Amino acid sequence: MTEGQQAVVRTVIVGGTTGIGLATAELLLTRGHQVVVAGRNQERLAAAVKQLRESRGAGAEGADAEGAVTGLVVDARDEESLRGFFAEVGPFDHLVVTVTARGGVTPFDRMTADEVRRHSEGKLLPHLLTVREALGTLSPTGSVTLVGAVSSQLSSPGLVVLAPANAAVETAARVLAAELAPRRVNAIAPGVIETDWWEWAPEGAAAATASTTPLGRAGRADEVAHAIAFVVENTYTTGVVLPVDGGARLGTVNAAS
């Protein structure tokens, strides 16, 4: 690196092919990050990389865009897959994990053991495994950002599976902020956000749920991305859980995310 040049900042986004993860990749690209987006589905990954390269303004085949955006397949629930992924990524500065299972709004009397396992394996497990496998190549002065959800702070009926899964992720962020220091670890707690996470629910469920919040609307993925960018780039913020929920945590919201 010559005098006057800025160091390249590399950020890995696991779960970066849709929704909040993809919006975060788009925003960080505008801030000069090199971004590695990762997900399990090759087709969605290819579409995400194409979108990110085109939004950068160089076109899908542009050399500048290709250098700024990389897409890799990984299964964040599988240790071997993660190990190979981070070996291929090499040294990097920041990790963002947005992996989550769909659904999970279940009355307690209809809860099943399989559903509890599915949400643990679809949320907490991939977050913890991803961070652990990243440590060998994550900068010692870098950061980790996990994504929980505002359900962790609610007591609405139906959240008995979803709320503990998200609370576990957010608690893990606080514990890891102490254990992995001086690396910084934070979590974001989104509310009802307009993403494909809601595809499992009846049409209009997201809007109806969001209408009961103080702001009266669902959030956008880019609004959550701005919060993620803050904790990634603010070098004196660690161990926080930052809500981006339209005020949902201030009252009772039915079937929140």
Side-chain angles (χ1 to χ4, degrees):
M1 185 172 62
T2 61
E3 186 177 352
Q5 282 186 314
Q6 290 188 332
V8 173
V9 177
R10 299 189 75 215
T11 299
V12 172
I13 304 174
V14 178
T17 60
T18 61
I20 290 168
L22 182 58
T24 300
E26 290 180 322
L27 178 59
L28 292 180
L29 279 170
T30 68
R31 299 188 178 199
H33 293 235
Q34 284 188 355
V35 173
V36 179
V37 292
R40 286 188 295 161
N41 185 289
Q42 178 66 64
E43 186 176 338
R44 283 201 300 267
L45 180 65
V49 170
K50 183 175 186 295
Q51 177 179 326
L52 290 169
R53 288 177 176 171
E54 289 177 342
S55 69
R56 188 166 167 80
E61 303 302 323
D64 179 60
E66 287 185 358
V69 183
T70 304
L72 295 173
V73 172
V74 68
D75 184 347
R77 303 165 303 177
D78 183 271
E79 293 167 278
E80 288 299 321
S81 179
L82 284 164
R83 208 161 289 141
F85 168 74
F86 284 111
E88 187 170 357
V89 168
F92 68 103
D93 301 286
H94 304 287
L95 173 66
V96 179
V97 187
T98 70
V99 179
T100 191
R102 302 287 176 91
V105 178
T106 306
F108 183 61
D109 60 1
R110 296 206 295 270
M111 182 195 75
T112 65
D114 283 345
E115 187 165 19
V116 175
R117 291 189 190 98
R118 184 172 72 84
H119 279 274
S120 177
E121 293 173 1
K123 188 83 177 192
L124 179 62
L125 182 67
H127 276 71
L128 295 182
L129 290 181
T130 300
V131 176
R132 189 192 69 189
E133 295 303 327
L135 294 179
T137 48
L138 175 63
S139 168
T141 58
S143 76
V144 173
T145 305
L146 309 181
V147 177
V150 72
S151 60
S152 66
Q153 301 178 51
L154 302 178
S155 55
S156 301
L159 297 181
V160 71
V161 174
L162 198 60
N166 286 306
V169 168
E170 294 167 12
T171 298
R174 289 189 287 264
V175 173
L176 293 175
E179 187 165 345
L180 302 183
R183 292 182 176 110
R184 297 178 299 105
V185 184
N186 297 288
I188 304 298
V192 179
I193 306 299
E194 295 172 342
T195 71
D196 58 8
W197 185 88
W198 283 90
E199 287 178 348
W200 62 273
E203 186 176 353
T209 301
S211 69
T212 66
T213 67
L215 294 190
R217 66 169 177 86
R220 302 186 310 272
D222 66 283
E223 292 173 312
V224 184
H226 276 86
I228 293 173
F230 167 75
V231 296
V232 167
E233 296 181 339
N234 189 294
T235 56
Y236 205 57
T237 299
T238 193
V240 305
V241 177
L242 179 59
V244 188
D245 63 0
R249 71 198 179 284
L250 303 177
T252 300
V253 181
N254 293 322
S257 71

